[in-house]
Amino acid sequence: AQMALERDYEGQRESVTRMRALMQTMQEAALFVNVTTGRIVEANPAAGRLLQTNPDELPGTALKRLLRHGSEPVDVDQLVEAARDGRAAPATLSSNNCATPLRLRPMSFRAAGQRVLLCLLTRHEQPDETPPGSDAHM
Amino acid sequence: AQMALERDYEGQRESVTRMRALMQTMQEAALFVNVTTGRIVEANPAAGRLLQTNPDELPGTALKRLLRHGSEPVDVDQLVEAARDGRAAPATLSSNNCATPLRLRPMSFRAAGQRVLLCLLTRHEQPDETPPGSDAHM
């Protein structure tokens, strides 16, 4: 049992390292949001570039302060519903008066007893590879 | 000490779950390759779509069988060097006689005592958001 636990622990440590490499290198902006608090818990450098913020300063920030949906701040609960329906959502940067159009693909899951929302953000004019209806759910 | 270990374990479990959500949902094709064996150890659905293969069948496959660099199979060691230099590499699908042009962004790191290569693949005509010289190294 002890060896199984250690193998499990090692395997998890591997995931932590792979996750860090992936978040650092991927081009898509990725934000993990605690649904209960509505605040970002993890963000990658691509998200920092898109949101024009130091990515290390994003954790703790409320998502609704950064993004708008139409004329209103984004609503995290609505994004969780959109994730369940497999819908992407248009969004714009709150900070940008020119309203840079973004596309937000949401995915909702539970981790460590908490509901988490993953937001993948791209600029709206970028071509989208994902065929319609193929957004994955956990 | 036991509580710290448990917190650590829980935090890692959270990373495993976030990693799974990210791999499932991201649009970029991601391949993790064991540098010693040259074989894929983890692949996401976007990689399956790009490589026109069931992503569950990718682990265990040698990367050099799937991708070419010019007229030759890709060389994993050369990709590790490119990662160290912060260079992206052009590549094409081995299986495709039309030689679909791809862009492979490599990143190399160590995990659990092994060297791992992360390959992020996009179709070459897609616009690239990453400013030159900003590829991250671990």
Side-chain angles (χ1 to χ4, degrees):
Chain A
Q2 180 64 19
M3 277 185 65
L5 269 172
E6 284 174 5
R7 273 201 307 270
D8 198 27
Y9 189 81
E10 278 302 315
Q12 286 186 359
R13 262 212 330 198
E14 214 169 325
S15 274
V16 170
T17 311
R18 290 184 189 181
M19 172 84 171
R20 193 178 305 139
L22 190 58
M23 285 285 271
Q24 284 290 114
T25 314
M26 60 190 285
Q27 288 192 299
E28 275 180 280
L31 297 172
F32 289 90
V33 178
N34 179 314
V35 172
T36 307
T37 65
R39 294 179 185 278
I40 293 168
V41 292
E42 199 169 351
N44 66 354
R49 287 190 293 272
L50 194 76
L51 298 168
Q52 296 157 18
T53 308
N54 181 337
D56 297 329
E57 292 172 13
L58 285 171
T61 307
L63 188 71
K64 65 183 182 184
R65 289 187 49 171
L66 297 171
L67 296 173
R68 304 179 73 75
H69 181 73
S71 57
E72 296 298 313
V74 292
D75 182 317
V76 170
D77 294 325
Q78 286 183 11
L79 290 174
V80 172
E81 279 190 44
R84 288 187 175 136
D85 298 340
R87 283 184 285 118
T92 54
L93 288 180
S94 296
S95 60
N96 189 330
N97 292 332
C98 300
T100 309
L102 305 174
R103 190 161 170 278
L104 189 160
R105 293 188 311 118
M107 197 244 203
S108 173
F109 59 96
R110 290 189 73 82
Q114 302 257 358
R115 182 151 291 279
V116 179
L117 175 72
L118 165 62
C119 298
L120 289 170
L121 290 160
T122 46
R123 291 204 172 80
H124 195 245
E125 60 270 14
Q126 280 181 273
D128 179 24
E129 286 215 58
T130 315
S134 68
D135 283 89
H137 289 266
M138 289 214 36
Chain B
Q2 181 63 19
M3 277 185 66
L5 270 171
E6 284 174 4
R7 273 202 307 270
D8 197 27
Y9 189 81
E10 278 302 314
Q12 287 186 0
R13 265 213 325 199
E14 215 170 323
S15 273
V16 171
T17 311
R18 288 184 191 181
M19 171 84 172
R20 193 178 304 141
L22 190 58
M23 285 285 271
Q24 283 290 113
T25 314
M26 59 190 285
Q27 289 193 299
E28 276 182 280
L31 296 172
F32 289 90
V33 179
N34 178 314
V35 171
T36 307
T37 65
R39 295 180 185 276
I40 293 169
V41 292
E42 198 169 352
N44 66 355
R49 286 191 292 274
L50 195 75
L51 298 169
Q52 297 157 17
T53 308
N54 181 338
D56 296 329
E57 291 173 13
L58 285 171
T61 306
L63 189 71
K64 65 183 181 184
R65 289 187 49 170
L66 296 172
L67 296 173
R68 304 179 72 76
H69 181 73
S71 57
E72 295 299 315
V74 291
D75 182 316
V76 170
D77 294 324
Q78 286 182 12
L79 290 174
V80 171
E81 280 190 43
R84 289 188 173 135
D85 298 341
R87 283 183 287 117
T92 54
L93 287 180
S94 295
S95 59
N96 190 331
N97 291 333
C98 300
T100 309
L102 305 174
R103 191 161 170 278
L104 189 160
R105 293 188 310 118
M107 197 242 202
S108 173
F109 60 96
R110 288 188 74 82
Q114 303 256 358
R115 182 153 290 281
V116 179
L117 175 72
L118 165 63
C119 298
L120 290 170
L121 290 159
T122 46
R123 290 204 172 81
H124 195 244
E125 60 271 12
Q126 280 183 271
D128 181 23
E129 287 215 56
T130 314
S134 69
D135 284 88
H137 290 265
M138 292 217 29

